Amino acid sequence: DTEVTQTPKHLVMGMTNKKSLKCEQHMGHRAMYWYKQKAKKPPELMFVYSYEKLSINESVPSRFSPECPNSSLLNLHLHALQPEDSALYLCASSVTGTSFSDTQYFGPGTRLTVL
Amino acid sequence: ELKVEQNPLFLSMQEGKNYTIYCNYSTTSDRLYWYRQDPGKSLESLFVLLSNGAVKQEGRLMASLDTKARLSTLHITAAVHDLSATYFCAVEETSGSRLTFGEGTQLTVNP
């Protein structure tokens, strides 16, 4: 099973709402990632969790708050977002996320629209 | 800061023709990935290239890596419409886990 799942597929929220994106994998991977992708652009790394600890935060605004409750789950909590935060949010996982090179497997993404 | 450049950014080609997409990167790395993305969809891993001179082939696609030249190529042989997609190369920093993506090549294969 090389599948990363994400829910919801689509999310529309107002600037005052609080919502969460969820990501799950059952491949035994110990590294999980959040990316943001705008239309016609490459994915931009937001956060990396390695062995359930936050290892990389790419200076993401605090209105995005990641959480890794266990090795299979990754959440992204959203609060007071701006319209420019509208994008496709991709979750990925890999075996270790350390200097050992391993492929990142991407989920289908959540299409977020902020009104 | 690692920079990754792909060219061309847009490629329109006829079925049956061959073409090459280029990926240049700015600092030392020996780990490079190619991904495919269909419109509105996620990224699908195509190839992982882990050493100088690595060559991988799958169907009509072949990828190679020259770490000395800091260059990877994705060669398309006898293109078919199903290959229409955006192709990204991504380079892994030597410190691990962080991928830097190229801008992507939007490939359209016309009948």
Side-chain angles (χ1 to χ4, degrees):
Chain A
D1 181 10
T2 56
E3 191 179 11
V4 177
T5 59
Q6 289 186 244
T7 55
K9 289 185 180 177
H10 301 275
L11 178 62
V12 179
M13 60 187 290
M15 290 191 283
T16 58
N17 292 156
K18 284 185 182 180
K19 296 285 184 184
S20 296
L21 309 185
K22 297 188 181 219
C23 173
E24 191 166 4
Q25 56 86 16
H26 294 289
M27 296 179 277
H29 289 176
R30 302 311 300 272
M32 297 185 79
Y33 310 77
W34 280 116
Y35 288 86
K36 172 182 176 179
Q37 187 179 26
K38 301 284 263 186
K40 309 281 188 193
K41 290 293 183 184
E44 299 173 20
L45 183 65
M46 299 174 73
F47 302 104
V48 181
Y49 273 85
S50 183
Y51 293 85
E52 295 145 62
K53 287 188 168 45
L54 183 64
S55 59
I56 294 176
N57 177 342
E58 293 285 51
S59 302
V60 178
S62 60
R63 56 186 185 267
F64 295 91
S65 174
E67 178 196 19
C68 189
N70 60 56
S71 60
S72 300
L73 290 174
L74 185 65
N75 298 322
L76 186 62
H77 303 298
L78 315 172
H79 174 54
L81 294 194
Q82 304 296 310
E84 59 264 29
D85 296 322
S86 298
L88 180 68
Y89 287 84
L90 293 164
C91 173
S93 71
S94 67
V95 173
T96 64
T98 63
S99 58
F100 173 80
S101 179
D102 54 352
T103 301
Q104 293 184 24
Y105 294 91
F106 285 80
T110 294
R111 176 78 56 192
L112 174 67
T113 303
V114 182
L115 300 176
Chain B
E1 181 191 346
L2 174 59
K3 293 192 189 304
V4 181
E5 291 185 357
Q6 277 183 245
N7 70 84
L9 297 183
F10 299 93
L11 178 54
S12 180
M13 54 191 297
Q14 283 188 306
E15 280 191 330
K17 298 292 187 184
N18 303 333
Y19 211 85
T20 300
I21 299 170
Y22 297 88
C23 175
N24 288 92
Y25 54 97
S26 61
T27 63
T28 301
S29 173
D30 55 5
R31 305 178 182 101
L32 190 140
Y33 304 80
W34 284 96
Y35 287 90
R36 168 184 170 143
Q37 187 174 36
D38 291 291
K41 303 288 186 182
S42 189
L43 280 79
E44 174 192 354
S45 174
L46 294 175
F47 300 109
V48 181
L49 302 168
L50 298 178
S51 61
N52 187 39
V55 177
K56 296 272 184 79
Q57 182 161 7
E58 180 75 32
R60 300 174 189 276
L61 300 178
M62 183 172 72
S64 66
L65 178 62
D66 181 342
T67 58
K68 292 190 170 80
R70 297 178 186 167
L71 171 68
S72 179
T73 60
L74 181 66
H75 187 71
I76 303 154
T77 302
V80 292
H81 180 69
D82 285 352
L83 290 179
S84 297
T86 297
Y87 293 84
F88 291 100
C89 65
V91 180
E92 182 174 333
E93 295 185 10
T94 51
S95 58
S97 71
R98 182 183 276 109
L99 284 183
T100 299
F101 283 82
E103 286 294 306
T105 297
Q106 189 176 318
L107 172 66
T108 303
V109 181
N110 303 302

